[in-house]
Amino acid sequence: MTSLSIPSQITVKSPAAGETRKTYTICASQKSSILIGVGRSSTLRNFSSRLRMSVDNGGANRIGAGDAVIIVDHGSRRRESNLMLNEFVAMFRDKTGYPIVEPAHMELAEPSIRDSFASCVEQGAKRIVVSPFFLFPGRHWQQDIPSLTAEAAKDHPGISYIITAPLGLHEQLVDVVNDRISHCLSHAAGVVEECEVCAGTGKCKFN
């Protein structure tokens, strides 16, 4: 399959900054694509609450009205872990304004990639962007997710799809990791409550 790389732009609007708008670049390809820079933020929570991406009406290199996004994690036997993906997807949908965004688990939990793919098509999607919610490329990104997505696509002739790169060495991950460290240290010092990840586990403490 031939690799295709298309430079494009996406506009990000910050409500706190009035009409200030910034333009960033998306680089899309058949095997690794859609790496979006959206400005610096000290925490993931602040990032999600302050930025909203605009949806384009269409175009080969932008999310449009006929597009859907599936965010895929590994899947867990632990219900709480799977529910966190739902929460992230809801946050992502709200802040991007993308018309169709669905969660999917590669294995161990529902919905599967096949189920979410079908749901996107039922909602009117003509193109589907499968975004692995993984840190680094590995067997799941190189083999498992492409295989499962290809199988799902067989049920929907005429629907095109792309599998994007995982999170990788994105600059904003430095801010996210640093925020987690700072919050956990503050909790261990008795300054703040447990975060949503550790809530009720009692794990965030020095041993």
Side-chain angles (χ1 to χ4, degrees):
M1 186 173 292
T2 303
S3 177
L4 175 65
S5 183
I6 308 172
S8 62
Q9 292 183 329
I10 189 166
T11 301
V12 178
K13 182 176 181 180
S14 170
E19 294 301 317
T20 301
R21 304 176 76 88
K22 295 184 179 180
T23 301
Y24 300 88
T25 298
I26 298 176
C27 185
S29 68
Q30 185 65 28
K31 288 189 176 181
S32 61
S33 66
I34 309 184
L35 194 61
I36 305 175
V38 288
R40 296 188 62 81
S41 170
S42 61
T43 69
L44 181 61
R45 291 183 296 276
N46 287 340
F47 160 70
S48 67
S49 65
R50 286 191 281 182
L51 299 180
R52 184 177 181 83
M53 301 176 188
S54 62
V55 179
D56 191 76
N57 289 328
N61 53 3
R62 298 187 182 184
I63 293 292
D67 296 331
V69 176
I70 299 175
I71 299 179
V72 184
D73 71 357
H74 185 278
S76 173
R77 292 186 177 87
R78 186 172 180 267
R79 181 174 177 272
E80 291 79 5
S81 297
N82 296 322
L83 289 177
M84 287 191 72
L85 179 65
N86 294 347
E87 293 176 7
F88 177 81
V89 166
M91 180 172 65
F92 182 88
R93 184 191 299 115
D94 179 58
K95 298 306 175 183
T96 61
Y98 294 165
I100 307 171
V101 185
E102 295 291 333
H105 306 290
M106 194 187 72
E107 58 183 9
L108 302 176
E110 300 294 335
S112 64
I113 292 175
R114 181 186 292 273
D115 292 338
S116 293
F117 201 104
S119 176
C120 290
V121 174
E122 289 171 3
Q123 294 176 69
K126 303 302 181 184
R127 300 192 309 178
I128 296 178
V129 177
V130 179
S131 182
F133 201 38
F134 292 77
L135 273 179
F136 302 116
R139 181 173 61 85
H140 292 324
W141 176 67
Q142 294 174 341
Q143 299 178 21
D144 298 335
I145 292 176
S147 176
L148 291 168
T149 305
E151 285 298 314
K154 288 180 181 178
D155 298 331
H156 307 281
I159 303 299
S160 60
Y161 69 88
I162 187 171
I163 299 171
T164 75
L167 299 175
L169 297 177
H170 197 294
E171 183 180 86
Q172 285 194 322
L173 287 176
V174 174
D175 296 328
V176 174
V177 172
N178 190 48
D179 177 63
R180 285 300 187 197
I181 291 171
S182 297
H183 190 95
C184 287
L185 289 176
S186 296
H187 172 68
V191 177
V192 299
E193 298 293 328
E194 289 177 313
C195 69
E196 65 277 9
V197 178
C198 296
T201 66
K203 290 182 177 294
C204 197
K205 62 182 179 181
F206 283 104
N207 296 300

